[in-house]
Amino acid sequence: VTDAVRRDMIVASICIKYTQSNSVGFAKDGMMVGVGAGQQSRVDCVKLAGRKVDTWYLRQHDKVLGLKFKAGTKRQDRVNARVRYIEGDFTAEERIRWEAQFEEVPEALTTSEKEEFMTAASGITISSDAFFPFRDSIDHASKHGVSFVVQPGGSVQDGNVTSACEEYSMAMCHTGVRLFHH
């Protein structure tokens, strides 16, 4: 594991220490790229944070980078419009206001285009404030470019979780330290 990966492990772990349990955090290149917290199920935290990771990563998609905004569109409005384009869940009224920001209305970013682009995501670290009780969190994390897993360990299912990490070629670090208190 490189120094950069260790940094991401530390950044993600510090972040989730200060979030509502249950929580997981995804980090890449020294920054948090997704946080899922306060859910009753750890896998739901992974799903919540994973959607944020996808949005962060998909901002690099050619269709997103090629959006043709009207002159004078403010920077934050461009950021928000890109996120809305990636997420694609507009109401009819939102779509009208969103389309008005462009020189030409962009073609939709399809689910298959998103999925194909996400296959190139890698090197992302996930940290959990407590052990992963089942492999489902690892299975889901694999869809979001996770290569490194940090967790306390200590579950009766640690063997299954470790096997899942090995199946996806993820390196896992057991810290032995739970980061939540309740």
Side-chain angles (χ1 to χ4, degrees):
V1 177
T2 66
D3 287 344
V5 170
R6 277 192 279 282
R7 176 203 55 216
D8 290 347
M9 290 175 165
I10 292 167
V11 166
S13 296
I14 289 171
C15 175
I16 61 166
K17 178 177 174 38
Y18 297 101
T19 58
Q20 177 70 39
S21 187
N22 292 323
S23 64
V24 301
F26 291 79
K28 173 79 172 163
D29 297 332
M31 62 185 161
M32 294 303 297
V33 295
V35 177
Q39 305 304 302
Q40 293 177 334
S41 154
R42 194 154 309 276
V43 71
D44 287 342
C45 293
V46 175
K47 290 175 181 180
L48 178 64
R51 284 193 297 274
K52 295 298 184 183
V53 171
D54 291 356
T55 299
W56 166 77
Y57 191 76
L58 285 163
R59 292 183 316 176
Q60 303 166 64
H61 192 284
D62 286 341
K63 286 176 86 170
V64 176
L65 295 173
L67 292 173
K68 294 181 170 92
F69 290 95
K70 288 182 178 174
T73 304
K74 294 179 181 178
R75 182 175 186 264
Q76 191 58 51
D77 290 335
R78 290 174 189 244
V79 169
N80 293 341
R82 287 181 184 112
V83 169
R84 301 298 300 155
Y85 177 64
I86 292 165
E87 293 175 347
D89 57 347
F90 302 99
T91 65
E93 182 58 35
E94 287 173 319
R95 180 168 290 284
I96 291 167
R97 288 193 312 274
W98 180 80
E99 289 177 354
Q101 299 177 86
F102 299 96
E103 292 175 7
E104 56 187 65
V105 176
E107 182 182 308
L109 182 59
T110 66
T111 300
S112 62
E113 289 171 321
K114 293 176 192 180
E115 289 172 354
E116 181 181 343
F117 193 75
M118 286 305 299
T119 63
S122 67
I124 296 171
T125 297
I126 185 172
S127 182
S128 178
D129 66 348
F131 60 73
F132 286 112
F134 307 104
R135 69 169 286 147
D136 57 355
S137 292
I138 303 304
D139 292 327
H140 196 78
S142 73
K143 301 174 188 178
H144 305 288
V146 170
S147 301
F148 308 99
V149 178
V150 181
Q151 62 143 332
S155 168
V156 297
Q157 294 288 326
D158 275 352
N160 290 334
V161 173
T162 299
S163 293
C165 287
E166 290 169 355
E167 288 173 31
Y168 295 113
S169 299
M170 295 176 185
M172 183 168 52
C173 171
H174 282 144
T175 64
V177 178
R178 289 174 41 169
L179 297 175
F180 72 92
H181 309 283
H182 62 72

